[in-house]
Amino acid sequence: MKGSDLARAALEAARASAKERGSRVVRKGVQGAGVRRRRRRWSGPGPDDRDPQPLGRVASRIAADRGWTERLAGGQVFARWGKLVGEDVAEHAQPVAFSDGELTVQADSTAWATQLRLLQRELLKRIAAGVGVGVVRRLKVQGPAAPSWRYGPRHVPGRGPRDTYG
């Protein structure tokens, strides 16, 4: 069989199966009386998955599908720290870590660390209002980082020569 014969046989088989189903085959340009045409299914006026989507909506859907929403909310706390807690607090305290709903904040002095511990409930309310309820559940406040006395590969356990400082 030639290629044209195969095409004719396939066309006849398609027409026979269409006749069995009860629908009529309509050739382009020829519309007889009483011939039903199948309408193509287009998107229509309502929103559809095939429509172009705004980038923000697609990104939020991907983040929700992959379980990144908590990490992204934690990143927003870091990015918007000054606006969330106020400029005066942000000037003296910086977020250091965020894990399992606990935000670790390091103050630049022990006085500011004490002040942050007193303002802890107010700070949690401000963060919840800006980022979302339940994102930050606990606030851990640390004082300034002390210098490390462990220099070199060999050191003795305990306080050593610095035990006269306090």
Side-chain angles (χ1 to χ4, degrees), residues 52 74 87 96:
E87 292 300 322
V96 178

Side-chain angles (χ1 to χ4, degrees), residues 31-131:
Q31 285 189 350
V35 175
R36 281 187 288 141
R37 289 193 75 174
R38 294 176 104 184
R39 288 194 66 188
R40 294 185 73 173
R41 295 238 165 223
W42 297 100
S43 173
D48 192 6
D49 290 338
R50 297 174 291 176
D51 292 337
Q53 301 289 321
L55 182 62
R57 188 180 303 158
V58 173
S60 65
R61 189 176 345 151
I62 289 172
D65 290 346
R66 297 189 181 185
W68 295 344
T69 52
E70 183 180 342
R71 287 180 143 181
L72 291 174
Q76 280 197 359
V77 172
F78 280 77
R80 298 173 39 195
W81 177 250
K83 291 180 182 176
L84 292 174
V85 297
E87 292 300 322
D88 53 341
V89 174
E91 189 176 325
H92 297 284
Q94 299 299 322
V96 178
F98 179 72
S99 177
D100 297 329
E102 181 178 74
L103 179 66
T104 305
V105 178
Q106 186 171 17
D108 61 356
S109 69
T110 55
W112 268 101
T114 304
Q115 186 68 21
L116 289 176
R117 287 185 190 106
L118 293 173
L119 290 173
Q120 188 170 6
R121 286 189 181 182
E122 180 65 30
L123 293 176
L124 285 173
K125 285 180 186 176
R126 287 183 187 179
I127 293 170
V131 177

